[in-house]
């Protein structure tokens, strides 16, 4: 294995070349780092292993700070992944550590390997087993039951799993009443949001346990706690029509020399998200066969609450879709109905939820609508809120009473009832003025009629 790393420097050059790095200085830096790593490995008699990589990391730490070492390790990690993929080496030791620890980041593995007790540090990266606490079996059985009656139960499972991990770290709580367990979990994080989540999971678990043991106390609903938590939630940002046009313009001009299709892809993503009020997951899971150009509709399959729906789109949105589909075909994308609508030129597959979200957030920042750092400012999901508000505004401007149309809007959005739709109905100043004007006209009409008692 070492021989291939020592002698096949041509592989390293091919790897850097296929990255298609735009800046020649970046390519030079990549070659310098990878050459240094290959030279270090060549000086060891033993095959490439975790120990060899660990020694290389310690050697780098003598001349570079930790952030630089982490950066170099990421480059080496990707290079070794490529070498394993091409068959030049049997496997990537860093990738094996990631799989064993179920930790996605190279930086965490690097910090563990550099620690004095690296075995314990690597072990600490391993998550605890699922539902292994003294209440874990009851939690798992209840999740199985809920899914057997048609519930997805993914959010509830994630909450129960967090509680289970807490209980695994606190075996001293075994045998305590459920209310005491929830109080102890609540104290682990002083925020109102965490306390509310604890109350939700505690209520859910009390219902689950009472199925087999009616003596289990019932955790009451804390409305004050919910109110405090909701007050801290980020309020939806309602994009104006000018801001939506700015977003679309920014998307069309997005710099992407290595993926010429990407700007049009982002533009089409934003157009569908806003004009059809789609969730990000719904948009990403669209396949080529879900687009019906003949009748101007798209098919949303197996969305939230196991619901599917067919949505009619405006002629302008369908025109944008046709333009994108033509460019997609010219770029060499698959024409199979099951292939992803939004196709990546570099990977040949569909965009993932994470990659699409990062890309769209980058466009938000490029348009100047979202601050550069942190989880602040407008979100992509806020386009769905803007869709609802701007639809209501359009109805009011056209003199249409929106009340009887709310069930249709709920169906279009994929909601179970209009109560879910009302969550998206953020009251803006313009909406309040138009609603007030409609009520004024209605009042005048009523009071001015004989039935209204006018004299």
């Amino acid at each position: 294995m070492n021989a291939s790393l020592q002698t096949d420097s041509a592989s390293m050059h091919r790897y850097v070349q296929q990255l298609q790095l735009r800046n020649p200085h970046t390519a030079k830096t990549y070659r310098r780092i990878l050459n240094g790593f290959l030279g270090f490995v060549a000086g060891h008699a033993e095959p490439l292993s975790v120990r060899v990589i660990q020694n290389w990391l310690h050697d780098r730490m003598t001349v570079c700070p930790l952030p630089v070492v982490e950066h170099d390790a990421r480059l080496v990690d990707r290079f070794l992944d490529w070498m394993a993929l091409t068959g030049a080496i049997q496997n990537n030791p860093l990738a094996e550590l990631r799989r064993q620890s179920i930790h996605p980041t190279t930086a965490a593995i690097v910090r563990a390997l550099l620690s004095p007790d690296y075995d314990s540090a690597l072990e600490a990266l391993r998550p605890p087993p699922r539902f292994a606490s003294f209440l874990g079996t009851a939690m798992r059985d209840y999740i199985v039951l809920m899914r057997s009656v048609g519930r997805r139960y993914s959010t509830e499972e994630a909450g129960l799993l967090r509680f289970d991990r807490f209980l695994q770290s606190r075996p001293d709580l075994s045998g305590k009443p459920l209310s005491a367990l929830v109080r102890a979990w609540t104290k682990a994080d002083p925020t109102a949001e965490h306390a509310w989540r604890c109350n939700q999971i505690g209520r859910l678990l009390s219902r689950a346990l009472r199925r087999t043991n009616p003596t289990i106390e019932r955790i009451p609903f804390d409305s004050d706690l919910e109110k405090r938590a909701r007050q801290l939630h980020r309020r939806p940002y309602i994009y104006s029509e000018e801001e939506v046009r700015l977003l679309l313009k920014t998307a069309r001009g997005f710099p992407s020399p290595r993926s010429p299709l990407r700007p049009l892809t982002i533009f089409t993503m934003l157009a569908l998200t806003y004009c059809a009020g789609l969730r990000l997951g719904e948009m990403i899971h669209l396949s080529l066969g879900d687009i019906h150009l003949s009748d101007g509709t798209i098919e949303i399959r197996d969305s939230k609450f196991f619901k599917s729906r067919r949505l009619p789109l405006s002629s302008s949105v369908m025109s944008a879709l046709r333009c994108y589909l033509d460019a997609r075909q010219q770029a060499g994308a698959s024409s199979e109905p099951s292939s992803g609508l939004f196709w990546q030129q570099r990977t040949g597959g569909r965009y993932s939820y994470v990659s699409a979200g990062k890309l769209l957030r980058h466009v938000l920042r490029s348009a100047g609508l979202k601050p550069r750092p942190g989880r602040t400012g407008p979100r992509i999901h806020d386009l769905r809120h803007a869709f609802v508000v701007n639809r209501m505004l359009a109805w009011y401007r056209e003199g249409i009473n929106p009340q009887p149309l709310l069930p249709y809007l709920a169906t279009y959005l994929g909601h179970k009832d209009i109560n879910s739709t009302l969550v998206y109905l953020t009251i803006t100043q313009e909406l309040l003025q138009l609603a007030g004007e409609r009520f004024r006209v209605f009042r005048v009409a009523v009071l001015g009629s004989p039935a209204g008692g006018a004299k």
Side-chain angles (χ1 to χ4, degrees):
M1 187 181 300
N2 267 27
S4 64
L5 285 175
Q6 293 172 25
T7 61
D8 194 8
S9 60
S11 292
M12 183 270 293
H13 288 284
R14 286 198 303 272
Y15 168 72
V16 176
Q17 186 177 12
Q18 62 89 33
L19 291 176
Q20 300 179 7
L21 300 170
R22 286 175 284 177
N23 192 327
H25 295 290
T26 304
K28 184 177 179 180
T29 301
Y30 273 46
R31 292 189 182 95
R32 176 180 57 80
I33 294 170
L34 296 178
N35 268 325
F37 173 74
L38 294 176
F40 184 89
V41 173
H44 285 69
E46 59 182 298
L48 178 66
S49 62
V50 172
R51 181 179 177 82
V52 172
I53 293 177
Q54 185 181 25
N55 291 336
W56 172 73
L57 292 172
H58 281 289
D59 181 72
R60 293 293 293 160
M61 283 294 294
T62 61
V63 294
C64 299
L66 178 60
V68 175
V69 175
E70 291 177 351
H71 170 267
D72 293 355
R74 282 193 290 269
L75 297 186
V76 169
D77 190 13
R78 291 195 288 266
F79 170 62
L80 294 179
D81 275 339
W82 180 82
M83 292 284 283
L85 185 64
T86 58
I89 60 176
Q90 186 177 356
N91 57 44
N92 175 7
L94 289 173
E96 291 297 322
L97 285 178
R98 285 201 306 274
R99 281 192 288 269
Q100 293 171 14
S101 65
I102 320 180
H103 203 287
T105 64
T106 305
I109 300 293
V110 168
R111 289 191 294 269
L113 290 175
L114 288 171
S115 63
D117 188 1
Y118 62 88
D119 285 330
S120 299
L122 287 173
E123 188 63 31
L125 295 178
R126 303 178 192 273
R130 294 169 59 88
F131 300 117
S133 70
F134 50 86
L135 291 179
T137 301
M139 295 180 186
R140 185 189 296 109
D141 291 346
Y142 190 65
I143 292 170
V144 172
L145 174 66
M146 290 295 99
R147 286 178 173 164
S148 68
V149 297
R151 300 283 297 276
R152 272 203 178 98
Y153 233 60
S154 300
T155 302
E156 293 83 355
E157 180 185 27
L160 288 170
L161 193 56
R162 288 193 295 271
F163 192 24
D164 175 76
R165 288 171 180 168
F166 170 77
L167 294 179
Q168 288 187 55
S169 68
R170 294 290 304 274
D172 57 299
L173 295 175
S174 178
K176 298 290 182 66
L178 181 59
S179 58
L181 304 181
V182 174
R183 280 196 301 271
W185 189 29
T186 303
K187 292 178 181 177
D189 185 343
T191 62
E193 177 72 19
H194 174 72
W196 180 39
R197 298 299 180 191
C198 291
N199 179 252
Q200 286 183 308
I201 296 302
R203 291 172 55 232
L204 185 152
L205 189 55
S206 69
R207 291 197 302 268
L209 297 177
R210 285 173 60 84
R211 292 180 58 255
T212 56
N213 186 358
T215 63
I216 296 292
E217 59 183 322
R218 191 186 300 274
I219 303 295
F221 172 71
D222 193 332
S223 58
D224 292 336
L225 186 59
E226 181 189 29
K227 183 178 180 180
R228 291 201 305 272
R230 289 193 180 277
Q231 287 174 345
L232 297 175
H233 285 181
R234 292 168 61 183
R235 289 182 58 81
Y237 183 87
I238 306 304
Y239 296 87
S240 66
E241 294 179 358
E242 291 76 15
E243 288 172 330
V244 172
R245 282 193 288 267
L246 174 61
L247 265 181
L248 295 175
K249 181 180 178 181
T250 304
R252 290 301 296 263
F254 189 80
S256 183
R258 289 183 292 172
S259 299
L261 183 64
R262 181 172 292 171
L264 188 55
T265 300
I266 303 171
F267 175 86
T268 312
M269 284 180 175
L270 289 170
L272 277 179
T273 302
Y274 174 70
C275 296
L278 297 185
R279 304 176 179 97
L280 179 58
E282 293 173 342
M283 185 263 295
I284 290 303
H285 288 113
L286 283 171
S287 297
L288 205 58
D290 296 328
I291 310 302
H292 306 288
L293 297 177
S294 58
D295 59 359
T297 62
I298 60 173
E299 195 85 21
I300 308 298
R301 302 180 187 276
D302 196 24
S303 185
K304 198 173 182 180
F305 310 116
F306 297 98
K307 297 172 73 69
S308 297
R309 62 194 192 276
R310 177 171 289 197
L311 304 181
L313 298 178
S314 66
S315 58
S316 60
V317 178
M318 292 308 300
S319 177
L321 265 176
R322 287 189 181 91
C323 181
Y324 169 72
L325 290 174
D326 290 341
R328 181 184 181 278
Q329 183 179 14
Q330 293 174 10
S334 171
S335 58
E336 292 293 325
S338 60
S339 63
L341 172 64
F342 295 109
W343 176 77
Q344 292 199 61
Q345 285 179 281
R346 296 191 63 188
T347 64
R350 69 171 71 218
Y351 280 85
S352 69
Y353 185 94
V354 174
S355 63
K358 287 182 178 178
L359 192 59
L360 294 175
R361 284 193 296 273
H362 189 87
V363 175
L364 279 176
R365 292 189 169 100
S366 298
L369 298 177
K370 187 177 179 68
R372 294 289 173 182
R375 300 178 62 183
T376 58
R379 302 164 296 178
I380 294 301
H381 191 70
D382 290 335
L383 285 169
R384 185 168 160 91
H385 288 265
F387 166 80
V388 174
V389 171
N390 290 333
R391 182 67 264 164
M392 294 287 291
L393 286 172
W395 281 335
Y396 275 123
R397 290 168 185 156
E398 296 167 9
I400 299 173
N401 180 13
Q403 187 68 29
L405 298 178
L406 285 178
Y408 297 100
L409 182 59
T411 301
Y412 194 93
L413 291 167
H415 289 155
K416 294 187 294 185
D417 50 51
I418 64 172
N419 292 322
S420 300
T421 306
L422 293 177
V423 174
Y424 287 83
L425 191 53
T426 303
I427 302 301
T428 64
Q429 186 64 33
E430 184 180 5
L431 186 60
L432 190 62
Q433 289 175 351
L434 289 172
E437 177 62 21
R438 180 175 178 82
F439 177 74
R440 185 190 69 79
V441 172
F442 170 77
R443 182 186 60 184
V444 169
V446 171
L447 296 179
S449 66
K455 296 182 179 179

